[in-house]
Amino acid sequence: EAGVAQSPRYKIIEKRQSVAFWCNPISGHATLYWYQQILGQGPKLLIQFQNNGVVDDSQLPKDRFSAERLKGVDSTLKIQPAKLEDSAVYLCASSLARDQPQHFGDGTRLSIL
Amino acid sequence: GEDVEQSLFLSVREGDSSVINCTYTDSSSTYLYWYKQEPGAGLQLLTYIFSNMDMKQDQRLTVLLNKKDKHLSLRIADTQTGDSAIYFCAESMESKSTFGDGTTLTVKP
């Protein structure tokens, strides 16, 4: 079974620029999550999708972050404009259904200069 | 994570047992998870326990859950150098997971 795929693996941008991350979940997984993991901390949930609908985006900084999962499969997370404090690893995870174990991709490491 | 607490570091000798502890606050949690993270990688699901269980064993891994004290532990038997990583505890309720900040396990030969 192929795992959760994320790209790019690394991204370096200057503050105030925009950036986008892509995630392809495990086939058949209805639930998709985006997390932010700051160095030395555990992952913090940004947004959760059930199929193509948003279940929870209460922790998403909506003034600069956006995410979509238009066809209920792949998802993109965008930051515009980026701030220095956005430097982190952005992890995508998927699960068969809500409240089922989550499977993580290897993440995108974002550095803001 | 503010609702899930873990000690930051643990160091053991190869062949010894490792015990990683975690406390959580939400008594309504339905699942409790242990994940392993190696450098440059995402989180790998190791094992999980349903909240109505008090123990689960899976090869070298034993999970103990004390619901009264909201305490979860992960025991790794015969720890190997390949077990060196960061271990995250997570609680889950209504599909929302809260993670601890991880315990860095160092295994010395």
Side-chain angles (χ1 to χ4, degrees), chain A residues 9 37 42 48 98-99 102 105, chain B residues 30-31 37 40 92 95 97 101:
Chain A
R9 286 300 316 275
Q37 186 178 22
Q48 180 188 159
R98 295 177 68 184
D99 224 14
Q102 298 176 32
Chain B
T30 49
Y31 287 100
Q37 188 174 37
S92 176
S95 78
S97 293
D101 285 336

Side-chain angles (χ1 to χ4, degrees), chain A residues 39-58:
Chain A
L39 187 64
Q41 298 181 15
K44 302 286 194 296
L45 180 69
L46 291 173
I47 189 167
Q48 180 188 159
F49 292 93
Q50 179 69 15
N51 297 309
N52 60 352
V54 175
V55 173
D56 183 356
D57 64 355
S58 57

Side-chain angles (χ1 to χ4, degrees), chain B residues 11 17 23 25 32 44 46 59 68 72-74 77 86 107:
Chain B
S11 179
S17 292
T23 57
T25 56
L32 294 132
Q44 173 195 350
L46 284 179
Q59 298 183 340
K68 175 176 169 290
L72 182 74
S73 68
L74 174 70
I86 303 175
V107 182

